[in-house]
Amino acid sequence: MRLVVAGLLLAALIACSASPSPMPSPPAGSPSGGTPSAGPDGVTPAPSESPSESSSQSRSAERGELRFTEIARLDKPVAFAVREGDDRLYVAEQSGRLRTSGGDTVIDLSGEVSSGNEQGLLGVAFHPSGRWVYLDWTDARGHTHVTEWAFDGTRATGRRDVLTQEQPYANHNGGQLAFGPDGYLYIALGDGGSGGDPHGNGQDLGTLLGKILRIDPRGARPYAVPEDNPFVGKEGARTEIWAYGLRNPWRFGFDRETGDLWIGDVGQNTWEEVDYQPAGSEGGENYGWNAREGTRRHRGEKTREMVDPVITYPLHEGGNCSVIAGFVYRGQKIPWLQGRFLYGDFCAGWIRAAPVEELDRAAEVGKVEQLSSFGEGHDGELYALSLQGPLYRIESG
């Protein structure tokens, strides 16, 4: 994510932008593709509509209105999680603290994280049992850690590193963590940074960079690899890999009803993209980077196994710079939003909702300045985070 923040470009968290081509026909079993839009690379977001003084904003949607109501203010919030049996909302601050929406600090890594543009505390997830919490963060040298703590709802103890990854450059660190419907931990890692993937990590199955991983953090020490991961037994391939060909998958999310996976991959020069993996997938999808960006050639040719994005939109148009993938709405409070996928752009600030079967019918439903992430509550209701500090609850207008 190329998020540029007040004083510090979060432009980095997600990295440079991308430039897609006309929407391809989606792969069999995937939702219909959408029409391209816009987004620059490493651009400081121009001021857009700020949150109102009443701490809520609303915009007209295709069939209704959304309101973004501020419920907490934090320091550069970038990731969101909920915990089984716990009504609190947990938010990761890029500066290094895991906090609740009520303001309590659960874990403080502020003295250990690096503070570069795309570095810091980047992701959080709770084990399905609620007994362990996992953070994705970069250390003082810029290397990635996925770290576990036991958590009883009051104290985080028993810290241990589950996975570490050396980073050759400061940008494109990914950072998303999420437990899938199968109970395994999914981890997003960018291609290692610089520009254009100079080491070819996206297409190299011998490295974890430029991938989404799937592991069992409680199955062994430091972790176990599920036996049905797609590259188990493949010579020269890292068995943790679940999907590859990704540049900087800053945010991804599972559809709580279907189990489908939606991945926002920040682009290089021309296109932003959203990739899709159906719930029945056995993994191993190649989303094309760095052979191509969006659906266009970048440094190679499209091969038969590459999976087209389902949404693309262009950079350098309307202030776009970094795609922020959200969730398919499955809550009960906004009936017209049911079955629509929400996503947005960090610099432009717009949020769009698209019917999953007709992604080309995306409609703008609101704006959040410096949108950094979305969150989903236990009840399926959604939240939006702004790098400027607010945590918004998304409500019917």
Side-chain angles (χ1 to χ4, degrees):
M1 151 190 203
R2 275 166 310 260
L3 306 180
V4 191
V5 211
L8 140 108
L9 295 167
L10 185 50
L13 284 175
I14 323 188
C16 313
S17 30
S19 147
S21 60
M23 278 310 303
S25 299
S30 73
S32 324
T35 304
S37 277
D41 174 21
V43 176
T44 304
S48 58
E49 298 182 42
S50 304
S52 66
E53 293 182 6
S54 64
S55 78
S56 69
Q57 338 172 37
S58 62
R59 299 285 183 276
S60 62
E62 183 180 347
R63 292 176 53 194
E65 283 188 341
L66 289 184
R67 176 178 291 110
F68 296 79
T69 301
E70 182 176 332
I71 60 172
R73 185 166 286 266
L74 303 108
D75 180 32
K76 300 183 181 70
V78 293
F80 176 105
V82 291
R83 175 174 174 263
E84 179 66 24
D86 189 337
D87 292 334
R88 292 172 292 181
L89 308 177
Y90 292 82
V91 179
E93 299 177 325
Q94 187 191 5
S95 50
R97 293 183 299 176
L98 176 65
R99 299 178 66 195
T100 68
S101 55
D104 296 327
T105 298
V106 177
I107 296 170
D108 189 349
L109 294 175
S110 58
E112 300 181 54
V113 299
S114 44
S115 57
N117 291 340
E118 298 182 28
Q119 299 174 328
L121 176 55
L122 306 179
V124 56
F126 284 93
H127 188 275
S129 68
R131 295 174 57 193
W132 295 277
V133 60
Y134 298 85
L135 299 182
D136 187 301
W137 58 285
T138 57
D139 64 23
R141 297 177 300 164
H143 301 320
T144 291
H145 296 249
V146 176
T147 306
E148 173 196 88
W149 286 260
F151 185 56
D152 63 4
T154 304
R155 296 175 60 244
T157 59
R159 170 179 173 171
R160 74 178 182 96
D161 271 350
V162 174
L163 181 145
T164 59
Q165 172 63 48
E166 291 189 4
Q167 295 285 356
Y169 304 99
N171 55 340
H172 304 185
N173 294 306
Q176 175 74 355
L177 298 177
F179 279 88
D182 53 13
Y184 293 126
L185 179 61
Y186 290 73
I187 303 166
L189 283 169
D191 64 9
S194 186
D197 193 8
H199 303 293
N201 291 324
Q203 294 297 309
D204 182 0
L205 292 176
T207 177
L208 300 182
L209 296 171
K211 315 296 190 299
I212 289 180
L213 315 181
R214 177 182 184 244
I215 65 170
D216 180 358
R218 299 299 305 168
R221 292 296 181 105
Y223 57 84
V225 173
E227 293 182 358
D228 59 348
N229 269 14
F231 299 107
V232 170
K234 181 178 176 64
E235 186 176 355
R238 294 294 299 265
T239 56
E240 300 95 330
I241 296 171
W242 179 250
Y244 68 111
L246 295 159
R247 182 177 178 276
N248 196 16
W250 166 244
R251 289 294 171 252
F252 64 77
F254 289 95
D255 183 334
R256 65 191 292 130
E257 182 173 294
T258 67
D260 297 339
L261 177 60
W262 299 80
I263 307 161
D265 193 18
V266 178
Q268 176 68 37
N269 296 318
T270 44
W271 298 98
E272 298 297 307
E273 70 181 71
V274 174
D275 298 310
Y276 170 83
Q277 184 187 80
S281 170
E282 297 180 351
E285 282 89 344
N286 178 1
Y287 293 107
W289 178 253
N290 70 346
R292 60 184 185 149
E293 180 185 9
T295 59
R296 299 281 181 87
R297 184 181 185 277
H298 184 71
R299 289 189 177 176
E301 299 301 327
K302 177 181 178 181
T303 59
R304 191 172 299 174
E305 76 274 7
M306 289 182 182
V307 179
D308 286 338
V310 293
I311 296 172
T312 59
Y313 66 87
L315 291 167
H316 314 300
E317 192 178 294
N320 298 341
C321 75
S322 297
V323 64
I324 310 294
F327 296 90
V328 176
Y329 179 73
R330 300 297 184 186
Q332 299 300 316
K333 296 180 179 179
I334 315 175
W336 65 265
L337 196 59
Q338 271 285 345
R340 293 172 185 247
F341 172 65
L342 266 67
Y343 65 103
D345 186 271
F346 171 75
C347 290
W350 50 256
I351 293 174
R352 294 174 183 165
V356 294
E357 300 300 334
E358 299 177 276
L359 293 173
D360 57 345
R361 289 181 54 216
E364 185 173 320
V365 293
K367 276 201 171 184
V368 169
E369 199 165 324
Q370 294 189 8
L371 173 71
S372 61
S373 191
F374 291 90
E376 184 178 41
H378 289 300
D379 56 0
E381 300 303 325
L382 300 183
Y383 300 80
L385 286 65
S386 164
L387 202 61
Q388 292 184 334
L391 167 63
Y392 296 108
R393 182 172 55 238
I394 300 177
E395 301 175 330
S396 179

